[in-house]
Amino acid sequence: MAENETPKYKRILLKLSGEALMGNAAFGINRDTLRAIVGEVKSIVDLGVELAIVVGGGNIFRGVALGSTGMDRATGDYMGMLATCMNAMALQDCLRNEGVETRVQCALDIDQVAEPYIRGKALSHLRKGKVVIFAAGTGNPFFTTDTAAALRSIEIGAEVVLKATQVDGVFTADPKKDPTAKMFKSLTFDEAIQKKLKILDATAFTLCRDQKMPIRVFNLHNPGALKRVVLGEDEGTLVHV
């Protein structure tokens, strides 16, 4: 580690959407994109940062989308949880190939492929420098992986939630649709509510606000962005109390 590469954070939680793993594909996991993400993750693990990851499953299956087809919402959500387990296993495999020790902890019981979620064990893994990937959200239907990220970050004593997105931060409008959209460098939870900005879902956002858990929103696909965030550089948007 270089002299000027002292991490600002000791322990963080990274929220990855399933869509982040797709690359330019319409669905599934793009191996090159996965390797690029793992390279970014390894760069901060090498700094000594304790890292937990919550991964979504939208690249494989999205339970909410099936509401209009007549499928029971709870059934769809459980199927979505299984999709997050597949993504977690792919991440773990790729991280191990890069020499990063990793454990998957699942909120559903699938002991053959993942540990059950046990807070004390997760904390032990983190202290030993292992990356912990939390799969299956909270283990309950009707809750998103955003809520799982907020919940787990508080449980493990993370200092910040890093929400990896496809854009550079939080904007006044969707920058992909509105070229005049302006990006915020920093804003409070109350300002985000007042401006009706969708950063996390309402449950997750309220949980972070009530527990004073800051959120940093950034573009994971900008090379080196994750490392810059961890080093305390002004990357993306910081949402704070």
Side-chain angles (χ1 to χ4, degrees), residues 72-136:
D72 178 74
R73 168 67 191 275
T75 299
D77 281 356
Y78 278 118
M79 292 171 71
M81 290 178 217
L82 294 175
T84 72
C85 297
M86 295 169 70
N87 284 337
M89 291 171 68
L91 270 170
Q92 179 185 44
D93 179 72
C94 198
L95 281 162
R96 282 178 171 172
N97 287 341
E98 294 298 318
V100 179
E101 277 202 79
T102 310
R103 295 289 183 272
V104 173
Q105 288 202 342
C106 186
L108 299 176
D109 291 333
I110 47 172
D111 295 346
Q112 286 85 350
V113 295
E115 297 178 2
Y117 170 66
I118 299 172
R119 178 175 175 266
K121 206 165 186 179
L123 291 170
S124 176
H125 289 325
L126 291 168
R127 284 192 290 265
K128 291 173 183 174
K130 299 172 186 175
V131 173
V132 181
I133 304 172
F134 296 121

Side-chain angles (χ1 to χ4, degrees), residues 12-226:
I12 64 175
L13 186 135
L14 174 64
K15 169 58 172 63
L16 273 180
S17 68
E19 289 87 348
L21 306 180
M22 291 193 306
N24 294 322
F27 64 91
I29 299 169
N30 181 292
R31 195 69 189 174
D32 290 337
T33 301
L34 182 61
R35 275 196 289 262
I37 291 171
V38 163
E40 297 288 322
V41 167
K42 187 176 186 301
S43 73
I44 66 167
V45 173
D46 289 345
L47 294 175
V49 174
E50 296 175 5
L51 174 65
I53 300 173
V54 168
V55 64
N59 57 319
I60 298 172
F61 189 89
R62 187 176 289 282
V64 177
L66 289 180
S68 59
T69 69
M71 177 178 279
D72 178 74
R73 168 67 191 275
T75 299
D77 281 356
Y78 278 118
M79 292 171 71
M81 290 178 217
L82 294 175
T84 72
C85 297
M86 295 169 70
N87 284 337
M89 291 171 68
L91 270 170
Q92 179 185 44
D93 179 72
C94 198
L95 281 162
R96 282 178 171 172
N97 287 341
E98 294 298 318
V100 179
E101 277 202 79
T102 310
R103 295 289 183 272
V104 173
Q105 288 202 342
C106 186
L108 299 176
D109 291 333
I110 47 172
D111 295 346
Q112 286 85 350
V113 295
E115 297 178 2
Y117 170 66
I118 299 172
R119 178 175 175 266
K121 206 165 186 179
L123 291 170
S124 176
H125 289 325
L126 291 168
R127 284 192 290 265
K128 291 173 183 174
K130 299 172 186 175
V131 173
V132 181
I133 304 172
F134 296 121
T138 65
N140 301 289
F142 308 104
F143 291 93
T144 67
T145 50
D146 274 355
T147 298
L151 178 63
R152 297 288 185 248
S153 70
I154 295 160
E155 287 186 293
I156 66 169
E159 295 166 77
V160 65
V161 172
L162 303 184
K163 182 171 171 67
T165 67
Q166 315 293 326
V167 293
D168 291 344
V170 179
F171 288 77
T172 53
D174 186 343
K176 293 181 178 179
K177 296 176 182 176
D178 183 355
T180 66
K182 304 291 185 188
M183 192 181 100
F184 298 98
K185 295 305 290 182
S186 174
L187 70 162
T188 67
F189 285 97
D190 289 341
E191 286 171 339
I193 293 168
Q194 184 183 4
K195 296 177 189 295
K196 299 180 180 177
L197 300 172
K198 293 180 180 178
I199 297 163
L200 302 174
D201 73 71
T203 304
F205 191 79
T206 301
L207 190 55
C208 286
R209 182 192 64 184
D210 291 351
Q211 297 299 320
K212 299 179 173 57
M213 176 65 68
I215 306 162
R216 171 76 69 171
V217 182
F218 72 105
N219 189 341
L220 183 66
H221 301 299
N222 287 341
L226 178 58

